[in-house]
Amino acid sequence: MAPSGREHPLISYARSLKADPAERINFTWYLTLLLCGILVITATVVAVDLDEDGEESSRGAAFAAIWSMLMMIALCVGGTIVLRKFRNDMMIGVLLGVVVMMSQMMLMLFAVFAGMADDNRGHADSDRAMSAFSFVISFVLIVFAAVLFYDRESVLANPAAPPTSSAGGDKPEAPEPSDETPVAAVVDSTQPPSDKMDAAVGLA
């Protein structure tokens, strides 16, 4: 129990998630990475169990489990690289599209393995485990996509400052003479060196 007068760490972290958009993105992405690690273990066990069944349908489901695992690993690696190094509009948009498509693929895997678990075959427990993790990952991915879309401005790199010179390439104007400024200092800085010397001699 937290001491009186001090806020519980979980409540403090929840407040930081609410206030900091980048922290929300990091939290959902780290949760995705954690579930990806669990999926690697689950998919490997399920694939071995289904392959031992010997049926063609089971081997097809085993391939689907392994392929989904490899796709999730590729998504985690690529997404981490994008969020760390390539934070621009195009790459963030590509990441959003890939995440949404992976979410739909995991939802379809959930339906497939849930149907296989209802057949009451020898690997029903493995099918239920794979269907459960597929549904959880599908939900977390769609949540991450929504958070990234809503808070995308917090991860985009700062845009380059607009150029100060005009598009037509106009030359800078010479400073206006004042009472305190010597007349010789008002020589146009855009003139060639020879013209500057003639102008200075003429003013002298």
Side-chain angles (χ1 to χ4, degrees), residues 158-176:
N158 293 329
T164 55
S165 61
S166 60
D170 296 336
K171 297 181 180 180
E173 297 181 357
E176 294 292 337

Side-chain angles (χ1 to χ4, degrees), residues 67-129:
W67 184 250
S68 64
M69 176 192 73
L70 296 177
M71 294 294 291
M72 277 298 301
I73 292 175
L75 172 63
C76 291
V77 173
T80 302
I81 294 174
V82 169
L83 293 176
R84 288 188 177 183
K85 295 184 178 181
F86 302 101
R87 297 179 298 173
N88 53 61
D89 291 336
M90 185 185 71
M91 296 306 297
I92 294 297
V94 170
L95 178 60
L96 276 171
V98 173
V99 168
V100 171
M101 293 304 297
M102 280 297 301
S103 174
Q104 302 307 306
M105 189 186 80
M106 298 307 296
L107 185 62
M108 289 188 294
L109 285 178
F110 157 73
V112 169
F113 281 96
M116 293 178 60
D118 292 338
D119 292 341
N120 295 322
R121 292 185 291 182
H123 45 75
D125 293 337
S126 299
D127 295 336
R128 291 191 185 96

Side-chain angles (χ1 to χ4, degrees), residues 50 53-63 116 119 121 123:
L50 292 175
D53 192 9
E55 297 182 5
E56 292 297 330
S57 59
S58 298
R59 290 179 178 175
F63 172 79
M116 293 178 60
D119 292 341
R121 292 185 291 182
H123 45 75

Side-chain angles (χ1 to χ4, degrees), residues 171-175 183-193 195-196 199 203:
K171 297 181 180 180
E173 297 181 357
V183 179
V186 193
V187 178
D188 190 357
S189 60
T190 62
Q191 294 178 350
D195 294 342
K196 290 182 182 178
L203 290 174

Side-chain angles (χ1 to χ4, degrees), residues 125-150:
D125 293 337
S126 299
D127 295 336
R128 291 191 185 96
M130 187 65 189
S131 64
F133 278 113
S134 298
F135 179 79
V136 172
I137 292 177
S138 174
F139 178 76
V140 171
L141 285 176
I142 205 66
V143 169
F144 170 75
V147 171
L148 181 60
F149 178 78
Y150 183 77

